[in-house]
Structures are given as C-alpha cells and as structure tokens.
Amino acid sequence: MTAISRTQVGIVGAGPAGLLLSHLLALRGIDSIVVENRSRAYCEARQRAGLLEAGTVELLRAVGLGARMDAEGLEHGGIHLQFEGERHHLDFRDLTGGRWVTIYAQTEIVKDLIKARLAAGAAIEFEVSDTEVSALDTDQPVLRFTDSAGTRHVVTCDVIAGCDGFHGISRDVVAAGGHTVWETAYPYAWLGILAEVPPSTDELIYSHHPDGFALHSLRSPAISRLYLQVAPDEDIAQWPDERIWAQLQRRFALPGWKLTEGPVLEKSITPMRSFVSAPMRRGRLFLAGDAAHIVPPTGAKGMNLAVADVRLLSRAFGATTRTSGSTCWSATPSRRPVGCGGPPTSPGG
Ligand code: PHB
C-alpha cells in the first residue's frame, strides 16, 4: 500500500537537529514531517553530549523549551585545568563578560523535544525504513519511506532537511552531487564512562597527564561522566572497570582531593574526527548538524553547532515560505536564498 501526502519541509532524522528544526518551523507556521529509522526509546536513550553553550540555552528558552532544562540543568561559570600536578580555575563569567555553560544531557533535550512536538500534534515517524529523497533539482522534492506498519509513503515537499547524522543517507546524496571534503582523523580516541556516583567536582576538570588526557564531566548531581584518552584502535574489552578507575585516579590525582568511584553504567570508545563537506546542500536538500560537519567531542561543540545550523535553516525556510516557495531557492548553491527578503525576527530568529 502507498500513501501519498504533501508537507512543506521533510526532515530526515529525529536527533536534536531534526526535532528542533521541526519545532522552530512550527513556530513560523510551517508544516513538517520528521522520519527516523530508530525507535523513540533508542533516540531518547543514546548517550551523547551534555554541555550547552549560553546561546543554545537562550534559544531553547526563547522557543518554549527551557522549563525542565532550567529546573534540572546545572549552570557552570568556569572549568578547572590541571597540568604539572596543579589545578587552575578558569572563570568563564569573568573572562567572557558573564557567559556560562549549562550541563544538561542531549538525551534530555531530545526527550523534551519529542514530548513538545507530539503534544503539538506534529508528525514524527519512528522506526521507518528505506528512506529516500529524490527530485531535488525540482521545486517539489520527494521524501519516501516505509513506516513501521509497512506502508510506503511518498511525501512531496518544498524542501528537505538532512538531519540524519554522519552515517545517514542525506550526506551521501549531497556528496553524489559533487562536493569537497576536509577531514582529519586524530591519533587518539576517548574512552567514556557514565558512572552512578555524584561528581567529585563542582565544575569540569580537564587534566593533562603523562599517561594521557582525562576529563571529569557530569550529567546530573547523581551521575558522573568521565573520559580517558586512549589509542584510536583501543579495544574496550581490555578495559575492565577497575582498570578505568585506576587510570582515572592516576590522571586526576591531586593532594587533598578525592575521586569517588561508583558503578559504571555504560562505557564506549569514541574516535576523534573533524569533517566538513561543502556545499551543504544539493538542490532542495539541505544538511544540518553531524550530516554536514563533525567536530571531535573534546570541545563539546557538536550539539551546539547543530542547534546553530537549524536556527539558521528555519529562518531561511521561513523566508522562502513567506515569499511563496518555488521561486526562492536557486538550483545552484549560494550563500542565501535567491530573491528572498531579509530574515524574519520571530523567536529563534
Ligand atoms: C561531556 O560532558 O560529554 C563533555 C563535556 C565537556 C567537553 C567534552 C565532553 O569538553
């Protein structure tokens, strides 16, 4: 069976980029559909970033998504840098004229977004398969997918946003149109653990040590997030919990300070890669977030960049829709929509 429908924006991927784009578009009165090949439970559980920059926090508040973040997020006004056996505090507020960071896990933002979108009656299809995008060089690009009940859908859109990450379909489709890639693979990886123990620190500790770098982060007052620099081809099976804690103890050691250990809830190794491809669009398919660029997790930038991408994209889509769509997008890449007025100044703009 095939179901044929129409929407304004087809969004591939229900991570923070796709879901937030759908939310920002709705605030502009623009319809969208979000399709995701994973289940809702998977999207809400996958462990990712946890640090929000002030601009991200301000945007989420401005678009009505700040309630739980403000209640449960932890504001940090700085970090600790440790090297040569000493720990130094860097005061962000002092150094940046009052800016700060907030610890609030990406998984929580995804939960908040899914809840808000579904409450607003938005179309989010989880567990889809065989997602395809086509007719990208026309003014009616088409999104196809099979839903979890087996029905094939053909959705005609004005534009399609590829928010399906580095391994999604959208990046390859754009690449097939010809593009340039800049990529660096770093000669180390991070072994990350989530531990059921209150953080041993008030603010993040970045520690330089002869055995390798270590980072003490957190997800909540009860859950710590810790990282160890390891070789890029490191085998996680070689890292029983005792070995991880022993290395963390060595790399953070400081007289008068104690690292409290606890049960390890999760552990994984993340390779370090920087990647950006341009152009980030092909016809009416636009990439956002990890589909367009990857930064290593060291800087805690990935999700903040994804938020910045869809903020811009929602403004651009808003501008084209206001001026009635079809004549606005040039077929060749350009920095701004051709023939469109200036960006609107509504929430998130
Ligand atoms: C994290 O909590 O996952 C995190 C925090 C700060 C970083 C990198 C990762 O610089």
Side-chain angles (χ1 to χ4, degrees):
M1 193 178 120
T2 302
I4 296 179
S5 61
R6 201 191 134 71
T7 191
Q8 287 170 290
V9 182
I11 300 174
V12 186
L19 291 166
L20 182 58
L21 178 61
S22 165
H23 181 87
L24 296 178
L25 291 172
L27 292 179
R28 292 171 183 273
I30 298 173
D31 288 336
S32 64
I33 182 171
V34 181
V35 300
E36 164 64 52
N37 57 8
R38 305 284 195 166
S39 67
R40 176 177 178 180
Y42 179 92
C43 294
E44 291 186 342
R46 62 184 152 192
Q47 276 307 318
R48 292 284 154 85
L51 188 147
L52 307 182
E53 292 170 357
T56 300
V57 169
E58 285 163 346
L59 173 72
L60 293 174
R61 281 183 187 147
V63 299
L65 293 165
R68 203 161 67 91
M69 174 184 70
D70 282 336
E72 297 176 22
L74 304 167
E75 273 192 21
H76 284 189
I79 53 171
H80 301 283
L81 295 183
Q82 183 171 328
F83 48 93
E84 293 175 359
E86 287 182 6
R87 198 169 284 175
H88 306 265
H89 187 246
L90 237 69
D91 190 326
F92 286 170
R93 292 188 201 280
D94 211 30
L95 293 166
T96 64
R99 307 301 273 170
W100 74 99
V101 295
T102 297
I103 302 294
Y104 189 62
Q106 175 171 323
T107 44
E108 304 311 313
I109 293 183
V110 167
K111 284 182 207 162
D112 295 346
L113 275 164
I114 291 176
K115 195 167 161 208
R117 294 311 297 130
L118 292 179
I124 310 180
E125 291 281 347
F126 291 100
E127 296 180 73
V128 305
S129 54
D130 300 315
T131 304
E132 292 173 304
V133 292
S134 60
L136 303 175
D137 291 324
T138 73
D139 58 11
Q140 296 204 317
V142 178
L143 171 65
R144 288 184 173 79
F145 64 94
T146 302
D147 70 22
S148 55
T151 301
R152 188 78 181 147
H153 292 258
V154 178
V155 189
T156 304
C157 311
D158 290 335
V159 287
I160 298 177
C163 304
D164 48 344
F166 189 71
H167 300 289
I169 59 148
S170 305
R171 194 171 69 83
D172 287 343
V173 172
V174 170
H179 73 163
T180 308
V181 167
W182 291 268
E183 190 166 17
T184 302
Y186 298 93
Y188 43 80
W190 269 12
L191 189 165
I193 64 164
L194 203 62
E196 196 172 3
V197 58
S200 302
T201 180
D202 55 342
E203 293 181 332
L204 275 53
I205 308 169
Y206 293 78
S207 179
H208 178 267
H209 187 274
D211 287 6
F213 173 81
L215 169 61
H216 189 333
S217 182
L218 59 143
R219 287 293 175 268
S220 73
I223 303 285
S224 298
R225 176 82 169 147
L226 297 120
Y227 297 98
L228 287 171
Q229 178 187 339
V230 293
D233 56 354
E234 195 73 45
D235 177 7
I236 192 89
Q238 302 304 313
W239 286 85
D241 298 357
E242 307 70 53
R243 182 177 176 206
I244 294 174
W245 283 114
Q247 267 298 311
L248 290 167
Q249 294 289 1
R250 270 176 70 77
R251 298 187 194 186
F252 288 118
L254 194 74
W257 181 82
K258 185 171 172 298
L259 175 66
T260 310
E261 300 182 12
V264 174
L265 301 174
E266 253 190 62
K267 58 181 157 187
S268 61
I269 292 183
T270 310
M272 299 279 164
R273 183 198 291 124
S274 293
F275 171 99
V276 62
S277 72
M280 294 178 185
R281 68 178 279 196
R282 178 171 172 191
R284 289 195 177 215
L285 170 65
F286 296 80
L287 301 181
D290 284 1
H293 43 68
I294 292 274
V295 286
T298 41
K301 266 317 254 194
M303 183 172 55
N304 294 292
L305 285 177
V307 167
D309 284 359
V310 298
R311 174 186 209 157
L312 266 180
L313 214 45
S314 66
R315 280 162 57 178
F317 289 170
T320 58
T321 309
R322 278 186 322 150
T323 47
S324 91
S326 55
T327 56
C328 250
W329 295 104
S330 80
T332 49
S334 69
R335 289 183 63 80
R336 39 195 314 260
V338 174
C340 294
T345 50
S346 55

